[in-house]
Amino acid sequence: MTLLAFAPVAVPALAAVVHALFGWRRATGWVGTASAALVLASAVALAASVVDRPFTVGPLLRVDAVSAFMLVLIGAIALLTAVATPAHLATEMSAGRASARTAGRMGVLVQLFLAAMALAVLAADLGVLWVAVEATTIVTAFLVGLRRSTAAVEAAWKYVVICSAGIALALLGLVVLNFAAQETGTGAGLDWAALVAAGPQLDPGVTRIAVVLLVVGFGAKAGLAPLHAWLPDAHSQAPAPVSALMSGVLLSVAFYALLRIRAVADLALGPGFMRALLVAAALASLAIAASLLIAQRDHKRMLAYSSIEHMGLLALGAAAGGTAATAAVLLHALGHGLVKAVLFLGAGRLLQLAGTSRIDGVRGLAARQPVLAGCLGLGVLALVGLPPFSIFASELGIARAGFTGGIGWATAVALVLVVVIAAALLGHLSRMLLGPPPDLLPATALPRSTAVALVGGLLAAAALGIGAGPVAVLIDAAAAVLDGAR
Amino acid sequence: MDVVLLDLAVGALLLTAVLMLWRRELSVIIGLYTVQGAALAAVVALLAVQERSVELAVAAAGVLVLRAGVLPAVLRRALAAAGSERRVTRPLVNVTASLLAAAVLTTLALAVSQPIVDLAPSPATRAAPVGVAVVLIGFFVLVTRRRALSQIIGFLLMDNGITAVAFLTTAGIGLVVEAGVALDVLLVVVVLQVLTGRMRTLFGRTDLDELRELRD
């Protein structure tokens, strides 16, 4: 069991070493895929054993249903992106936009990124979680700036400055929370379980300061307004597989921290305080996404703003509270991650074909690239919440919880914004997919591995929507852990 | 006597932060940052003496090496690499307004962190709001300076403030986390320095006004 808990961190770390030693070759191209598959396998094995029985590994790691669920999310989306990565890099290299050296460097950094995210969700302690989340900033900064163009350097600079400043505020928050925990005299430090146990004794005045700082800090990393400005730049400049991971997984990992913090905050301050913060962040994020999506001209930025929208919906669900709402939030994070990975991988392929990320630079995709166009079309339909995809079920769950959970007016405003966003996305997409094809778009076939990743992601999202099966058991157990406080 | 020394060291933290808003030459600002690092180490050392704690003494030595030695050296190297570039910050907000802002931020920090003092009044926690003030001033530097290097210093100022609060309220946040935090800060500075180098190659200078390609 102990070994199994270390695997999600150790396997990607080893894969990073392999890439560092051997660079990017035909043989090492699939190391990343193997590593992601092993992370997913160990996540599933852990999930099967911890649904009702969390266990601790040393003083720093703990596996419960929530961390197992987050590991499944990380593993599944990492596998999708890893399957599509070799074909993506092969095209980049044959077009002269990447060398074997940059490909090797990307291999190392992506694996370190995975290891840091796995460590973040396995951490028993808020301090270790903080260190892991900040490590993801450092690793991904180089991935965002991999291309060394002016735009990529600009995106990387904004990303590091905003996320590091945000996460520095979170560090101040955890320092203050540590003080509050110490003064309870229970010996609780920053360990999640100890914090929940000591929750009712935490000094409300001091805890309030800590919670505000933690929400702003981890909210910045999760792409929630007002510190969301880095997200569209970073997501549009990073290589497609990295954008897929950042949007599909990293945002959810940061949001996971907010869910754990909410459990402690509700015990110390009552549910009202965290709810007010989350509702404000949710509505601000949705409003920003809606206003900037309507006139969006870049399809990768369009997907990035859609990520801000979905983080806003997660915040709304978390504000509603209750086990059903938290379960819907977790399902939403998984569904969004799968679909957004498909869309970013597809958009990356589109960028390689069309040579531009401008929406008006792409016309008549359906006629020239039916598989890619079909996957992008279905992906956007899934994203705006059409059945059978799981986002339909989770958005319904979040809306229902919002109306019954005492934030009806906010939920109503959010739903209006979601409809506006859906209209904007469908409008932009139909202009890209439909119409007569221009001559310049080549009719080259989609690489088989990319097609597998795109279709696989959509099938997984649809399967989750039709019947979540064993995942539902895990999600319910995780929601019960996160809402045990209420 | 200990309390007087502690108050002096904490006062030096705030004073150096405010002076950084006043002076515009980057070399002077780096010098002030070094003094602040030493003051921070002195705060931790005084706490170590008071608590008779070996762990705190080790932490004080670590703070001294990192924040008065390694980080200023990294900054000085970055400044030397800047070459012919004019070595002054170009604040968006003028000096008078910056100093007024520092006064407002310090007052705000004192008001907001009152619950921290109330929870466990002691000479150390009474000084903790000053750490919060340094964090806010650092944030202010970060958002109002247009030179890449001065933004890095804003970030480091925030970090010094946070470290001060951590040691003044509790005896730190555990060795593993502290080591992780120190490593993170160092790496962030290195990352930003690498990006500054690329910026210089691409734009010829490091005015952040050049960063305006990506917007909606």
Side-chain angles (χ1 to χ4, degrees):
Chain A
M1 277 314 270
T2 312
L3 270 179
L4 205 54
F6 279 117
V9 184
V11 169
L14 278 178
V17 173
V18 171
H19 275 303
L21 290 179
F22 300 105
W24 189 270
R25 301 163 190 211
R26 190 170 288 272
T28 57
W30 297 100
V31 167
T33 315
S35 145
L38 282 173
V39 170
L40 182 58
S42 53
V44 170
L46 283 171
S49 60
V50 296
V51 160
D52 41 24
R53 202 162 36 86
F55 71 97
T56 309
V57 188
L60 297 179
L61 302 186
R62 183 181 306 109
V63 193
D64 62 9
V66 192
S67 23
F69 171 77
M70 291 304 296
L71 280 177
V72 169
L73 188 154
I74 294 171
I77 294 155
L79 185 58
L80 280 185
T81 58
V83 166
T85 300
H88 172 86
L89 281 174
T91 313
E92 289 293 292
M93 280 193 272
S94 61
R97 281 188 298 265
S99 62
R101 237 181 104 221
T102 36
R105 194 176 302 151
M106 186 173 141
V108 174
L109 291 170
V110 165
Q111 294 303 319
L112 290 177
F113 182 28
L114 281 183
M117 287 193 290
L119 178 61
V121 298
L122 285 171
D125 179 284
L126 179 55
V128 177
L129 171 86
W130 186 92
V131 171
V133 168
E134 179 62 8
T136 63
T137 309
I138 292 162
V139 175
T140 46
F142 286 116
L143 287 169
V144 171
L146 201 67
R147 286 196 298 123
R148 302 205 178 191
S149 62
T150 49
V153 171
E154 173 180 350
W157 181 270
K158 277 193 202 163
Y159 174 54
V160 177
V161 167
I162 296 177
C163 284
S164 299
I167 212 76
L169 292 177
L171 176 60
L172 182 59
L174 78 88
V175 160
V176 174
L177 189 61
N178 187 39
F179 173 55
Q182 195 191 43
E183 293 301 317
T184 58
T186 54
L190 290 171
D191 185 279
W192 289 121
L195 275 173
V196 168
Q201 288 130 277
L202 290 171
D203 179 72
V206 175
T207 309
R208 207 170 284 132
I209 302 172
V211 167
V212 170
L213 291 165
L214 288 166
V215 169
V216 173
F218 283 105
K221 193 78 194 179
L224 286 170
L227 290 178
H228 64 281
W230 61 272
L231 193 149
D233 297 345
H235 283 35
S236 63
Q237 291 305 314
V242 176
S243 308
L245 277 178
M246 288 178 78
S247 174
V249 192
L250 181 59
L251 300 181
S252 299
V253 168
F255 197 84
Y256 153 88
L258 292 179
L259 287 175
R260 293 262 191 202
I261 291 161
R262 188 194 62 176
V264 177
D266 286 357
L267 284 169
L269 306 169
F273 188 69
M274 190 81 177
R275 169 176 294 172
L277 292 178
L278 287 171
V279 164
L283 291 183
S285 306
L286 284 164
I288 282 165
S291 62
L292 287 165
L293 271 171
I294 291 171
Q296 190 51 245
R297 287 197 294 256
D298 180 307
H299 60 73
K300 279 186 96 181
R301 292 177 81 81
M302 174 179 92
L303 295 179
Y305 280 112
S306 148
S307 298
I308 297 180
E309 174 211 357
H310 285 277
M311 290 300 124
L313 287 174
L314 292 187
L316 189 75
T323 315
T326 307
V329 164
L330 295 175
L331 180 64
H332 196 79
L334 182 56
H336 168 256
L338 290 169
V339 171
K340 199 47 81 57
V342 167
L343 285 170
F344 266 115
L345 292 173
R349 179 69 191 161
L350 185 55
L351 183 62
Q352 290 178 334
L353 288 173
T356 174
S357 61
R358 288 179 66 86
I359 289 171
D360 56 16
V362 183
R363 286 285 173 274
L365 189 67
R368 283 296 167 102
Q369 292 279 338
V371 180
L372 180 58
C375 289
L376 286 175
L378 285 175
V380 170
L381 291 180
L383 201 59
V384 301
L386 256 60
F389 299 102
S390 69
I391 292 179
F392 170 73
S394 53
E395 280 187 0
L396 206 63
I398 290 172
R400 189 184 297 151
F403 283 118
T404 55
I407 49 168
W409 64 272
T411 311
V413 174
L415 286 182
V416 171
L417 291 168
V418 167
V419 171
V420 171
I421 290 168
L425 286 176
L426 292 174
H428 291 316
L429 185 83
S430 58
R431 279 191 284 146
M432 288 162 67
L433 298 193
L434 308 176
D439 301 327
L440 43 134
L441 200 65
T444 44
L446 196 64
R448 194 170 301 147
S449 58
T450 312
V452 166
L454 299 187
V455 174
L458 288 172
L459 282 178
L464 269 179
I466 293 164
V471 184
V473 179
L474 181 60
I475 286 180
D476 288 340
V481 171
L482 287 169
D483 265 300
R486 280 170 187 260
Chain B
M1 190 57 192
D2 251 1
V3 178
V4 176
L5 282 178
L6 186 70
D7 286 348
L8 276 176
V10 172
L13 278 182
L14 186 60
L15 187 65
T16 44
V18 173
L19 286 176
M20 282 191 218
L21 291 174
W22 178 39
R23 299 306 297 265
R24 301 177 55 160
E25 301 88 341
L26 282 170
S27 59
V28 176
I29 290 177
I30 295 173
L32 285 167
Y33 176 74
T34 314
V35 174
Q36 189 175 58
L40 186 58
V43 170
V44 182
L46 286 168
L47 292 171
V49 171
Q50 193 190 337
E51 308 270 325
R52 298 184 197 293
S53 152
V54 180
E55 195 184 321
L56 276 174
V58 173
V63 167
L64 189 69
V65 169
L66 181 69
R67 285 156 216 268
V70 177
L71 287 172
V74 173
L75 292 175
R76 263 189 220 103
R77 261 193 62 204
L79 186 64
S84 59
E85 215 175 315
R86 277 170 55 227
R87 294 178 180 182
V88 293
T89 62
R90 294 190 309 126
L92 288 177
V93 181
N94 68 34
V95 170
T96 320
S98 295
L99 290 175
L100 277 175
V104 172
L105 290 174
T106 308
T107 316
L108 183 73
L110 289 171
V112 168
S113 33
Q114 197 54 47
I116 296 177
V117 182
D118 291 345
L119 182 56
S122 76
T125 51
R126 264 186 249 282
V130 175
V132 179
V134 173
V135 176
L136 293 180
I137 293 174
F139 198 76
F140 179 76
V141 170
L142 191 71
V143 296
T144 59
R145 297 298 154 107
R146 305 303 302 162
R147 221 31 125 203
L149 195 59
S150 27
Q151 282 203 344
I152 299 179
I153 290 171
F155 170 72
L156 287 174
L157 208 49
M158 283 180 78
D159 186 66
N160 273 354
I162 294 166
T163 312
V165 177
F167 282 108
L168 288 169
T169 51
T170 59
I173 38 178
L175 269 180
V176 176
V177 176
E178 265 160 46
V181 169
L183 191 64
D184 274 337
V185 171
L186 189 60
L187 285 173
V188 165
V189 171
V190 170
V191 169
L192 289 175
Q193 207 201 335
V194 169
L195 290 173
T196 315
R198 283 191 199 168
M199 237 184 263
R200 194 171 299 116
T201 326
L202 289 164
F203 312 125
R205 49 202 189 122
T206 59
D207 270 3
L208 297 171
D209 295 336
E210 303 286 335
L211 301 184
R212 52 173 58 201
E213 198 168 304
L214 297 170
R215 52 174 54 188
D216 288 296

